[in-house]
Amino acid sequence: MTRASLNKQPHEVASMFDDVAERYDLTNDVLSLGQDRVWRKEVARAVDARPAQKILDLAAGTATSSLPFARTGAYVVPCDFSLGMLQVGKRKHTWLPFTAGDATRLPFKDDTFDAVTISFGLRNVQDTDSALREMYRVTRPGGRVVICEFSHPTWAPFRTVYTEYLMRALPPVARAVSSNPDAYVYLAESIRAWPDQPALAERLQKAGWSKVAWRNLTGGIVALHRGVKES
């Protein structure tokens, strides 16, 4: 079984997600105590997909995150660099145009999508800034980005409890439900090392995005960042 390191070599991260693909959605549901469903609803609301719009869903995995966009009548492209995830997703949702792609070198033309979104995947990309620039490149002028990612709880006592859960409770729970529990040790470490809300907003601005803002979910366990590509 593969466990990626925090230098996030793409082949290590992709292989790690290949290992957990079969039970990934179930494991996330258990580890988040069902909160992942709430977070995905908020992502769908923020993306605000409309019929005939083109939506790029990065780090889409098995495309659980893509389905709300498809239901609106939008054309959604689930994209991921884990072939194992894509294969599991394709078996479940044969009609979706699953695409293999690296977030730092997207296989799409400039100004293609009305919206680009990524949920719980940006922190697994080796070069965050390159990925943010690539998202900008493939978004049409006037289009938008929505990033849903684990972040830093805003209330200090809760932040301490949350950190303890990540490093102590998460690994044994993962051992019970995941095919590769070591992967979730990496995921916990990557959450702790991830920049806070203002720092990610600053990186979005440096990548070219305008009107950058964020909203905390579940006390800041997750943050929803948004930006617009000016016309």
Side-chain angles (χ1 to χ4, degrees), residues 47 77 106 134-135 229:
V47 171
V77 178
L106 292 172
E134 275 290 270
M135 293 179 207
K229 181 173 180 175

Coordinates of all heavy atoms in Angstrom, one line a residue, residues 47 77 106 134-135 229:
V47 N -21.1 27.2 -6.6 CA -20.8 27.1 -8.1 C -22.0 27.6 -8.9 O -21.8 28.2 -9.9 CB -20.5 25.6 -8.4 CG1 -20.4 25.5 -9.9 CG2 -19.2 25.2 -7.8
V77 N -17.3 18.1 -16.4 CA -16.2 17.2 -16.7 C -15.5 16.9 -15.4 O -14.8 17.7 -14.8 CB -15.2 17.9 -17.7 CG1 -14.0 17.0 -17.9 CG2 -15.8 18.3 -19.0
L106 N -3.3 21.2 -17.1 CA -4.7 20.7 -17.5 C -4.8 20.5 -19.0 O -4.3 21.4 -19.7 CB -5.7 21.7 -17.0 CG -5.9 21.8 -15.5 CD1 -6.8 23.0 -15.1 CD2 -6.5 20.5 -14.9
E134 N -3.5 27.5 -13.5 CA -4.1 26.6 -14.6 C -5.6 26.7 -14.5 O -6.3 26.8 -15.6 CB -3.7 25.2 -14.4 CG -2.4 24.8 -15.1 CD -2.5 24.9 -16.6 OE1 -2.8 23.8 -17.2 OE2 -2.3 25.9 -17.2
M135 N -6.2 26.8 -13.3 CA -7.6 27.0 -13.2 C -8.0 28.3 -13.8 O -9.1 28.4 -14.5 CB -8.0 26.9 -11.7 CG -7.9 25.6 -11.1 SD -8.4 25.7 -9.3 CE -7.4 24.3 -8.7
K229 N -12.8 35.5 -12.7 CA -11.8 35.9 -13.7 C -12.4 37.1 -14.4 O -13.5 37.0 -15.1 CB -11.6 34.8 -14.7 CG -10.6 35.1 -15.8 CD -10.3 33.9 -16.6 CE -9.3 34.1 -17.8 NZ -8.9 32.9 -18.5

